[in-house]
Each structure stands twice: as structure tokens, then as C-alpha cells.
Amino acid sequence: MSVQAARAPSPQPPILLREIVGSVAVLTLNRPAARNSLSEAMIGQLHASLNAIAEDKHIRAAVIAANGPAFSAGHDIKELTARRTDPDRGRAYFAQIMTACSAMMQAVVHLPKPVVAAVQGIATAAGCQLVASCDLAIASHEAKFATPGVDIGLFCSTPMVALSRNVPRKQAMEMLLTGEPVTAERAREIGLVNRVVPAGTELGAAIELAQQVALKSAYTIKLGKEAFYRQAEMSLADAYRYAAEVMTENMMARDAEEGIGAFIEKRAPTWRDE
């Protein structure tokens, strides 16, 4: 009598998809059944991919998108709750995850290339934080945004950092204190996203915007992005002092000399990214 061989387990699909479109890297969250929650593995893969993009001279911009009905529901609550049985009730693990997630969000901000979010569905808690951490964001008119941690006794403190740096204080506090979602149009009005587009076109619009920025001098974009975030944390006088130093450095760059010359001569510039 023959014995039926045991079936090998089906390979699991990757949780983060990577695609290159021209000079744009597209990172797609691929945990639709888990509402693209930011598990420990997802956070790690996103951070590693951002580091790789930073080092790749052929990539000039990045897009973060997602598969399924949700952009991201935030932290993987089931994964976190499972550590309640640890001797310290999960304290060390919670600190590890929050630190890792905060580092990944800062990697988005510190990436020397523009990052555009393509939001097709709801983005809540750390998912909303990820959108706010991106330099630019395109949202489907069906997208919604919320920081609903207060509803489960867990104030969205780390999402608050990115949110409060994107939208006015009163609007940020309303989202944080009520947990109520805001529509894509409202998100655009308060500055959380740049544009609202018809459902199904958000990824194409995000790639198009990324490609538009990718046509500029990579050196100039790197210098400008870093300066934008640094001066925002300074006093007015310090910000002007720092910005003047950046402008002076920028004027000495080869691409600034080329760009100004091309403008005067009415021709297209040839960037060397230096």
C-alpha cells in the first residue's frame, strides 16, 4: 500500500514587495489579511529597504503603497498582546518595538531622497504615522485617517510626533483625543496629504509625482530635504542663519552653477548630482 507523501507547506508571500519603476522604488505593504499592520518583521523590512534605497544611486525617489482595502492599521496588536505572558508582562518587547518603529519612521525622514505615500484605504495609528512621516502623500478619495488608540486605552503617542509636525495643533489634538477618522478631503485641508485622486489612481499619481521630483538634481534634493526638516525645529533666527549657510553651500555646488547657467542660456540643465 502506497503512503501519500506529506504536502509541503505553501510558501508565504513576501510581506513587503519591491519594484523599480524607472528611477523610483515602489515599496508595497503586502499583509492585506492583517490590514497591513506594522509587525516586527514589516518594520524591519521597511527599514532595511529604506537603507538600501539610500545607498542606490540609480534610485532617485521612493513610493510607499499597500495592497488590500487598508493602507495600514498600525502596530500588530495581536503580536504585541502575545508578549503579555513574558515575565515583565512585555515591557522590554514593547520598548523594543516602539524604538524600532520610531527609527524606521525617522529613516523615512532622513532618507536623502523624496518619499511619497500612496494611500488607497484607511491609515490608522502607526499607519497614519507612516503617511505623516513621508515627504508627500497622495490619497484615494476613499482613504481615511485616524489615530484611534484612545478608544482602546492606548494613546497614539508615537503617531502624535509625526502627526503634530504635519497638521495644526487643534486638528492634531482632535484626531488624537477623539480617535475619529477624517476623510481624504479633510486630510488634504489640514495638510496631512497633498492631493486626493479617484480610487484606483493613487499609486499611479504617487509614482508620477515621485518621477517629477526625480528629474531634479539629486544633490539639490538631498540638501533641501535635510535643511527643511532641520530648520523646522529651530528658532526663527537660527533657522535663517542655518538656511543661509545651506544656500551658500548650494551655490558652490556644480549642479547649481549648471542649473543657473542653463536658465540664463534657456536650455535644459545636465545634472551631475554634485
Side-chain angles (χ1 to χ4, degrees), residues 149-178:
V150 67
D151 293 334
I152 59 171
L154 185 66
F155 198 84
C156 285
S157 298
T158 45
M160 171 183 69
V161 174
L163 182 67
S164 63
R165 282 163 169 72
N166 275 252
V167 307
R169 289 189 177 187
K170 292 293 192 294
Q171 282 71 29
M173 283 298 287
E174 182 175 352
M175 290 181 67
L176 292 161
L177 293 173
T178 68

mmCIF file of all heavy atoms in Angstrom, residues 149-178:
data_model
loop_
_atom_site.group_PDB
_atom_site.id
_atom_site.type_symbol
_atom_site.label_atom_id
_atom_site.label_comp_id
_atom_site.label_asym_id
_atom_site.label_seq_id
_atom_site.Cartn_x
_atom_site.Cartn_y
_atom_site.Cartn_z
ATOM 1 N N GLY A 149 -6.086 55.140 18.990
ATOM 2 C CA GLY A 149 -5.596 54.402 20.147
ATOM 3 C C GLY A 149 -6.369 54.695 21.416
ATOM 4 O O GLY A 149 -6.543 53.818 22.267
ATOM 5 N N VAL A 150 -6.849 55.944 21.546
ATOM 6 C CA VAL A 150 -7.581 56.335 22.753
ATOM 7 C C VAL A 150 -8.806 55.448 22.976
ATOM 8 O O VAL A 150 -9.232 55.245 24.122
ATOM 9 C CB VAL A 150 -7.973 57.833 22.663
ATOM 10 C CG1 VAL A 150 -8.998 58.066 21.567
ATOM 11 C CG2 VAL A 150 -8.457 58.357 24.003
ATOM 12 N N ASP A 151 -9.349 54.887 21.907
ATOM 13 C CA ASP A 151 -10.539 54.035 22.031
ATOM 14 C C ASP A 151 -10.240 52.712 22.728
ATOM 15 O O ASP A 151 -11.151 52.054 23.250
ATOM 16 C CB ASP A 151 -11.144 53.752 20.648
ATOM 17 C CG ASP A 151 -11.716 54.996 19.998
ATOM 18 O OD1 ASP A 151 -12.101 55.930 20.739
ATOM 19 O OD2 ASP A 151 -11.782 55.047 18.758
ATOM 20 N N ILE A 152 -8.965 52.286 22.717
ATOM 21 C CA ILE A 152 -8.614 51.019 23.365
ATOM 22 C C ILE A 152 -7.662 51.255 24.536
ATOM 23 O O ILE A 152 -6.962 50.347 24.980
ATOM 24 C CB ILE A 152 -7.993 50.015 22.363
ATOM 25 C CG1 ILE A 152 -6.723 50.590 21.715
ATOM 26 C CG2 ILE A 152 -8.999 49.626 21.290
ATOM 27 C CD1 ILE A 152 -5.943 49.579 20.882
ATOM 28 N N GLY A 153 -7.647 52.487 25.034
ATOM 29 C CA GLY A 153 -6.828 52.805 26.192
ATOM 30 C C GLY A 153 -5.355 52.949 25.904
ATOM 31 O O GLY A 153 -4.521 52.846 26.814
ATOM 32 N N LEU A 154 -4.990 53.183 24.652
ATOM 33 C CA LEU A 154 -3.588 53.296 24.260
ATOM 34 C C LEU A 154 -3.416 54.557 23.417
ATOM 35 O O LEU A 154 -3.588 54.519 22.197
ATOM 36 C CB LEU A 154 -3.149 52.053 23.472
ATOM 37 C CG LEU A 154 -1.678 51.960 23.088
ATOM 38 C CD1 LEU A 154 -0.802 51.819 24.327
ATOM 39 C CD2 LEU A 154 -1.463 50.782 22.139
ATOM 40 N N PHE A 155 -3.087 55.672 24.058
ATOM 41 C CA PHE A 155 -2.954 56.940 23.353
ATOM 42 C C PHE A 155 -1.890 56.829 22.269
ATOM 43 O O PHE A 155 -0.830 56.241 22.481
ATOM 44 C CB PHE A 155 -2.578 58.052 24.334
ATOM 45 C CG PHE A 155 -2.836 59.435 23.807
ATOM 46 C CD1 PHE A 155 -4.095 60.009 23.909
ATOM 47 C CD2 PHE A 155 -1.822 60.173 23.212
ATOM 48 C CE1 PHE A 155 -4.339 61.293 23.428
ATOM 49 C CE2 PHE A 155 -2.050 61.439 22.725
ATOM 50 C CZ PHE A 155 -3.312 61.998 22.838
ATOM 51 N N CYS A 156 -2.165 57.376 21.097
ATOM 52 C CA CYS A 156 -1.245 57.287 19.948
ATOM 53 C C CYS A 156 -0.088 58.271 20.118
ATOM 54 O O CYS A 156 0.039 59.248 19.363
ATOM 55 C CB CYS A 156 -1.999 57.543 18.649
ATOM 56 S SG CYS A 156 -3.024 56.156 18.108
ATOM 57 N N SER A 157 0.771 58.005 21.084
ATOM 58 C CA SER A 157 1.844 58.938 21.419
ATOM 59 C C SER A 157 2.925 59.021 20.355
ATOM 60 O O SER A 157 3.386 60.122 20.016
ATOM 61 C CB SER A 157 2.476 58.546 22.761
ATOM 62 O OG SER A 157 1.513 58.623 23.793
ATOM 63 N N THR A 158 3.365 57.873 19.827
ATOM 64 C CA THR A 158 4.386 57.947 18.771
ATOM 65 C C THR A 158 3.800 58.446 17.448
ATOM 66 O O THR A 158 4.443 59.272 16.780
ATOM 67 C CB THR A 158 5.114 56.600 18.602
ATOM 68 O OG1 THR A 158 4.161 55.534 18.603
ATOM 69 C CG2 THR A 158 6.105 56.380 19.730
ATOM 70 N N PRO A 159 2.591 58.033 17.037
ATOM 71 C CA PRO A 159 1.991 58.645 15.848
ATOM 72 C C PRO A 159 1.818 60.156 16.007
ATOM 73 O O PRO A 159 1.890 60.907 15.033
ATOM 74 C CB PRO A 159 0.647 57.937 15.728
ATOM 75 C CG PRO A 159 0.887 56.587 16.316
ATOM 76 C CD PRO A 159 1.813 56.854 17.480
ATOM 77 N N MET A 160 1.601 60.596 17.250
ATOM 78 C CA MET A 160 1.425 62.023 17.536
ATOM 79 C C MET A 160 2.624 62.845 17.075
ATOM 80 O O MET A 160 2.466 63.987 16.608
ATOM 81 C CB MET A 160 1.226 62.201 19.039
ATOM 82 C CG MET A 160 1.250 63.632 19.549
ATOM 83 S SD MET A 160 1.104 63.680 21.359
ATOM 84 C CE MET A 160 2.707 62.988 21.844
ATOM 85 N N VAL A 161 3.821 62.278 17.176
ATOM 86 C CA VAL A 161 5.036 63.024 16.815
ATOM 87 C C VAL A 161 4.994 63.435 15.350
ATOM 88 O O VAL A 161 5.215 64.605 15.009
ATOM 89 C CB VAL A 161 6.297 62.182 17.110
ATOM 90 C CG1 VAL A 161 7.546 62.903 16.606
ATOM 91 C CG2 VAL A 161 6.404 61.885 18.598
ATOM 92 N N ALA A 162 4.702 62.478 14.474
ATOM 93 C CA ALA A 162 4.636 62.793 13.041
ATOM 94 C C ALA A 162 3.403 63.619 12.709
ATOM 95 O O ALA A 162 3.473 64.576 11.929
ATOM 96 C CB ALA A 162 4.639 61.505 12.227
ATOM 97 N N LEU A 163 2.267 63.258 13.308
ATOM 98 C CA LEU A 163 1.017 63.967 13.013
ATOM 99 C C LEU A 163 1.120 65.443 13.377
ATOM 100 O O LEU A 163 0.741 66.324 12.586
ATOM 101 C CB LEU A 163 -0.141 63.310 13.769
ATOM 102 C CG LEU A 163 -1.528 63.905 13.530
ATOM 103 C CD1 LEU A 163 -1.978 63.656 12.099
ATOM 104 C CD2 LEU A 163 -2.547 63.316 14.513
ATOM 105 N N SER A 164 1.650 65.727 14.572
ATOM 106 C CA SER A 164 1.702 67.110 15.046
ATOM 107 C C SER A 164 2.718 67.952 14.281
ATOM 108 O O SER A 164 2.712 69.170 14.393
ATOM 109 C CB SER A 164 2.035 67.144 16.547
ATOM 110 O OG SER A 164 3.321 66.610 16.790
ATOM 111 N N ARG A 165 3.567 67.310 13.510
ATOM 112 C CA ARG A 165 4.511 68.033 12.667
ATOM 113 C C ARG A 165 3.983 68.214 11.252
ATOM 114 O O ARG A 165 4.689 68.755 10.402
ATOM 115 C CB ARG A 165 5.870 67.309 12.650
ATOM 116 C CG ARG A 165 6.687 67.551 13.905
ATOM 117 C CD ARG A 165 7.800 66.543 14.085
ATOM 118 N NE ARG A 165 8.736 66.933 15.146
ATOM 119 C CZ ARG A 165 8.479 66.899 16.445
ATOM 120 N NH1 ARG A 165 7.280 66.475 16.855
ATOM 121 N NH2 ARG A 165 9.384 67.272 17.341
ATOM 122 N N ASN A 166 2.770 67.768 11.009
ATOM 123 C CA ASN A 166 2.157 67.880 9.685
ATOM 124 C C ASN A 166 0.905 68.738 9.667
ATOM 125 O O ASN A 166 0.616 69.399 8.679
ATOM 126 C CB ASN A 166 1.807 66.497 9.139
ATOM 127 C CG ASN A 166 2.956 65.818 8.450
ATOM 128 O OD1 ASN A 166 2.990 65.671 7.238
ATOM 129 N ND2 ASN A 166 3.940 65.409 9.235
ATOM 130 N N VAL A 167 0.147 68.704 10.749
ATOM 131 C CA VAL A 167 -1.134 69.408 10.773
ATOM 132 C C VAL A 167 -1.160 70.365 11.957
ATOM 133 O O VAL A 167 -0.407 70.199 12.923
ATOM 134 C CB VAL A 167 -2.321 68.419 10.855
ATOM 135 C CG1 VAL A 167 -2.226 67.379 9.749
ATOM 136 C CG2 VAL A 167 -2.372 67.719 12.206
ATOM 137 N N PRO A 168 -2.032 71.384 11.905
ATOM 138 C CA PRO A 168 -2.135 72.330 13.026
ATOM 139 C C PRO A 168 -2.488 71.631 14.334
ATOM 140 O O PRO A 168 -3.114 70.571 14.343
ATOM 141 C CB PRO A 168 -3.262 73.271 12.580
ATOM 142 C CG PRO A 168 -3.262 73.189 11.091
ATOM 143 C CD PRO A 168 -2.915 71.765 10.782
ATOM 144 N N ARG A 169 -2.109 72.230 15.439
ATOM 145 C CA ARG A 169 -2.260 71.603 16.757
ATOM 146 C C ARG A 169 -3.699 71.228 17.093
ATOM 147 O O ARG A 169 -3.963 70.136 17.600
ATOM 148 C CB ARG A 169 -1.710 72.522 17.847
ATOM 149 C CG ARG A 169 -0.199 72.646 17.836
ATOM 150 C CD ARG A 169 0.287 73.390 19.063
ATOM 151 N NE ARG A 169 1.743 73.465 19.097
ATOM 152 C CZ ARG A 169 2.446 73.946 20.122
ATOM 153 N NH1 ARG A 169 1.808 74.399 21.190
ATOM 154 N NH2 ARG A 169 3.767 73.972 20.070
ATOM 155 N N LYS A 170 -4.613 72.131 16.846
ATOM 156 C CA LYS A 170 -6.007 71.853 17.216
ATOM 157 C C LYS A 170 -6.539 70.654 16.438
ATOM 158 O O LYS A 170 -7.259 69.812 17.000
ATOM 159 C CB LYS A 170 -6.885 73.085 16.951
ATOM 160 C CG LYS A 170 -6.606 74.276 17.867
ATOM 161 C CD LYS A 170 -6.998 73.976 19.300
ATOM 162 C CE LYS A 170 -7.002 75.218 20.162
ATOM 163 N NZ LYS A 170 -5.646 75.802 20.342
ATOM 164 N N GLN A 171 -6.201 70.554 15.157
ATOM 165 C CA GLN A 171 -6.665 69.425 14.355
ATOM 166 C C GLN A 171 -5.991 68.124 14.799
ATOM 167 O O GLN A 171 -6.625 67.067 14.853
ATOM 168 C CB GLN A 171 -6.407 69.679 12.867
ATOM 169 C CG GLN A 171 -7.415 70.619 12.193
ATOM 170 C CD GLN A 171 -7.264 72.050 12.649
ATOM 171 O OE1 GLN A 171 -6.174 72.487 13.008
ATOM 172 N NE2 GLN A 171 -8.358 72.787 12.630
ATOM 173 N N ALA A 172 -4.691 68.207 15.119
ATOM 174 C CA ALA A 172 -3.986 67.021 15.607
ATOM 175 C C ALA A 172 -4.588 66.549 16.928
ATOM 176 O O ALA A 172 -4.838 65.354 17.127
ATOM 177 C CB ALA A 172 -2.500 67.330 15.785
ATOM 178 N N MET A 173 -4.848 67.480 17.830
ATOM 179 C CA MET A 173 -5.416 67.109 19.121
ATOM 180 C C MET A 173 -6.813 66.520 18.970
ATOM 181 O O MET A 173 -7.184 65.578 19.692
ATOM 182 C CB MET A 173 -5.450 68.323 20.043
ATOM 183 C CG MET A 173 -4.105 68.674 20.637
ATOM 184 S SD MET A 173 -3.424 67.359 21.697
ATOM 185 C CE MET A 173 -4.455 67.496 23.141
ATOM 186 N N GLU A 174 -7.591 67.033 18.054
ATOM 187 C CA GLU A 174 -8.932 66.477 17.840
ATOM 188 C C GLU A 174 -8.840 65.024 17.377
ATOM 189 O O GLU A 174 -9.579 64.161 17.865
ATOM 190 C CB GLU A 174 -9.694 67.313 16.817
ATOM 191 C CG GLU A 174 -11.123 66.825 16.591
ATOM 192 C CD GLU A 174 -11.929 67.713 15.674
ATOM 193 O OE1 GLU A 174 -11.446 68.805 15.311
ATOM 194 O OE2 GLU A 174 -13.054 67.326 15.319
ATOM 195 N N MET A 175 -7.940 64.747 16.443
ATOM 196 C CA MET A 175 -7.767 63.376 15.976
ATOM 197 C C MET A 175 -7.286 62.466 17.103
ATOM 198 O O MET A 175 -7.761 61.342 17.272
ATOM 199 C CB MET A 175 -6.772 63.335 14.808
ATOM 200 C CG MET A 175 -7.287 63.944 13.522
ATOM 201 S SD MET A 175 -6.059 63.840 12.173
ATOM 202 C CE MET A 175 -5.977 62.041 11.909
ATOM 203 N N LEU A 176 -6.335 62.959 17.908
ATOM 204 C CA LEU A 176 -5.755 62.152 18.972
ATOM 205 C C LEU A 176 -6.709 61.923 20.128
ATOM 206 O O LEU A 176 -6.743 60.834 20.719
ATOM 207 C CB LEU A 176 -4.475 62.817 19.486
ATOM 208 C CG LEU A 176 -3.292 62.839 18.514
ATOM 209 C CD1 LEU A 176 -2.273 63.890 18.920
ATOM 210 C CD2 LEU A 176 -2.639 61.466 18.445
ATOM 211 N N LEU A 177 -7.509 62.934 20.470
ATOM 212 C CA LEU A 177 -8.393 62.828 21.630
ATOM 213 C C LEU A 177 -9.711 62.118 21.333
ATOM 214 O O LEU A 177 -10.280 61.476 22.215
ATOM 215 C CB LEU A 177 -8.691 64.229 22.189
ATOM 216 C CG LEU A 177 -7.501 64.965 22.811
ATOM 217 C CD1 LEU A 177 -7.886 66.394 23.163
ATOM 218 C CD2 LEU A 177 -6.994 64.235 24.052
ATOM 219 N N THR A 178 -10.192 62.222 20.096
ATOM 220 C CA THR A 178 -11.474 61.586 19.758
ATOM 221 C C THR A 178 -11.296 60.227 19.093
ATOM 222 O O THR A 178 -12.158 59.363 19.205
ATOM 223 C CB THR A 178 -12.309 62.468 18.818
ATOM 224 O OG1 THR A 178 -11.660 62.546 17.531
ATOM 225 C CG2 THR A 178 -12.483 63.873 19.383
#
